[in-house]
Amino acid sequence: MRSTTFTTAGILPAERYEAWRERPWPSAARMFHTDKPSGEFHSHTQSYKLGNIIMNDTRMTGQTYGRTAQLIRSDGFDGVMISVYLSGRFHGETAVGSYKGGRGAVMFKDSSAPSIHSSSNARFINLMFNREDIQRLVPSIDRLQGFVMTGKDAAPLVQQVAKYLTHLPNAADESAAKAGEELTGTILSVLNSTGEMSLSEEAHFSLLQTEVRWIIQQRYREADLDVARIAALARVSRATLYRAFADEVGISAYVTRIRVQMAATALADPQDKRLISEIALSVGFDQMSNFNRVFRRFFNCTPRDWRARFRQVRASA
């Protein structure tokens, strides 16, 4: 996963984000106009690329900064930012009114619209989206300028962001991309639960995909977990389920992949002394012939050879 750390004296240059977004912004552009701080000031940001999301973990002393019409015209940055506040307080003004919040709040900001924002000794996480990415899922996302969620509405996203911060520095690119997908799903879920936004069909399918994956991860051990049962657990028709997964490998294939990956993990564990047949049964395979065939297709070897390979590695270490 690509990440960077930088400290700034109050103005965040747009070129800091150019490497992440891979867009040709002018190198001299400035994203924010800032007031000169009174007294000592510092701002420290750690940035992560989570698939299509840029996540900035920022700690900042009191500061006021804004997006002016001139800046918007000159830098061309039109992303959508969702800020998750872990500490401190904030308030600001947009064309549609004022807003305020504090620890545990989630705020939506449209960088293509003028605004002025103040925060005090805050730690906040900015989730930055390309407009076309988020607008495809939430067509009226621009209406959320200055919208603040708090309490139970904001809690799922706040908790998920806080959890990711503990392991993101050591996460692999694949894990980081998955985290971005999960964060997007949570954002859609909280917006859907508040009733503030109408989501696109694609967004509803994305929510369904997230729920179905969770169901499968919890129940893959059950040998009778088939498409009909998954549809019943997700409270949708089989037709809807197939539509939601039309661009993917398929639901049955996803269940199989989860099962065989869990079996491979168990077989590679030197502390796991179970018979291969017991491991196969524990992850949802009720026929050894089917398990052996699927395992060979995924790993190009038999389960017995896979286990032996890891035992040899451990013995030679």
Side-chain angles (χ1 to χ4, degrees):
M1 180 183 57
R2 296 186 297 182
S3 67
T4 189
T5 303
F6 59 87
T7 302
T8 177
I11 297 177
L12 307 184
E15 60 265 26
R16 294 289 190 182
Y17 301 96
E18 187 173 352
W20 309 117
R21 308 311 288 170
E22 297 176 355
R23 296 177 60 182
W25 293 332
S27 60
R30 301 288 180 176
M31 288 184 65
F32 299 109
H33 170 78
T34 62
D35 290 344
K36 183 177 180 180
S38 57
E40 185 178 353
F41 171 78
H42 74 267
S43 174
H44 178 272
T45 296
Q46 182 78 31
S47 297
Y48 306 95
K49 187 178 188 298
L50 310 182
N52 291 331
I53 302 176
I54 303 304
M55 176 172 162
N56 294 327
D57 177 7
T58 299
R59 294 172 174 85
M60 181 186 291
T61 53
Q63 174 68 301
T64 297
Y65 53 94
R67 290 281 288 167
T68 65
Q70 182 178 357
L71 281 174
I72 293 167
R73 287 193 301 270
S74 65
D75 65 26
F77 180 65
D78 66 347
V80 174
M81 290 184 283
I82 300 174
S83 299
V84 178
Y85 272 76
L86 302 182
S87 65
R89 300 194 62 79
F90 65 89
H91 62 89
E93 296 282 343
T94 71
V96 296
S98 59
Y99 60 82
K100 63 180 180 179
R103 178 180 179 182
V106 174
M107 186 195 70
F108 293 76
K109 185 179 294 183
D110 182 349
S111 64
S112 69
S115 65
I116 186 166
H117 181 90
S118 298
S119 62
S120 58
N121 295 322
R123 183 185 183 186
F124 53 92
I125 313 302
N126 275 337
L127 305 174
M128 303 176 64
F129 291 82
N130 276 333
R131 179 175 300 278
E132 55 267 29
D133 291 339
I134 191 67
Q135 203 161 39
R136 191 178 69 249
L137 302 171
V138 189
S140 301
I141 190 69
D142 54 326
R143 286 171 41 202
L144 287 181
Q145 171 73 325
F147 176 58
V148 176
M149 290 194 304
T150 59
K152 292 187 294 185
D153 290 337
L157 183 57
V158 175
Q159 292 167 3
Q160 188 173 35
V161 165
K163 181 185 73 172
Y164 286 153
L165 289 175
T166 63
H167 65 78
L168 275 177
N170 300 314
D173 288 345
E174 183 177 348
S175 297
K178 182 179 178 182
E181 292 177 0
E182 291 175 349
L183 281 170
T184 300
T186 302
I187 291 166
L188 295 177
S189 180
V190 297
L191 285 175
N192 190 53
S193 65
T194 61
E196 289 292 334
M197 284 279 102
S198 296
L199 306 182
S200 68
E201 181 180 64
E202 182 180 347
H204 283 293
F205 282 163
S206 177
L207 287 174
L208 178 57
Q209 290 168 2
T210 300
E211 181 179 4
V212 167
R213 291 190 188 101
W214 185 86
I215 290 171
I216 293 171
Q217 288 166 0
Q218 301 304 310
R219 294 177 175 266
Y220 69 87
R221 300 174 183 85
E222 302 169 10
D224 62 346
L225 186 67
D226 57 13
V227 174
R229 187 147 177 260
I230 292 170
L233 290 167
R235 303 174 304 281
V236 297
S237 68
R238 291 177 62 172
T240 298
L241 201 56
Y242 281 127
R243 287 179 64 199
F245 283 81
D247 296 332
E248 301 201 6
V249 294
I251 303 167
S252 296
Y254 184 79
V255 174
T256 298
R257 184 168 70 245
I258 293 294
R259 286 172 171 167
V260 77
Q261 286 173 343
M262 297 306 295
T265 299
L267 290 167
D269 182 0
Q271 303 303 317
D272 196 326
K273 305 300 184 182
R274 291 177 295 171
L275 298 175
I276 293 176
S277 58
E278 292 176 322
I279 290 175
L281 185 64
S282 74
V283 297
F285 287 97
D286 55 2
Q287 295 182 5
M288 276 301 296
S289 59
N290 183 40
F291 173 64
N292 287 330
R293 183 175 62 255
V294 170
F295 197 95
R296 182 183 288 275
R297 188 174 77 241
F298 273 82
F299 297 102
N300 200 32
C301 69
T302 67
R304 188 179 303 278
D305 290 341
W306 179 266
R307 170 174 268 181
R309 178 189 307 171
F310 281 91
R311 286 182 176 177
Q312 290 171 0
V313 169
R314 182 175 177 83
S316 62

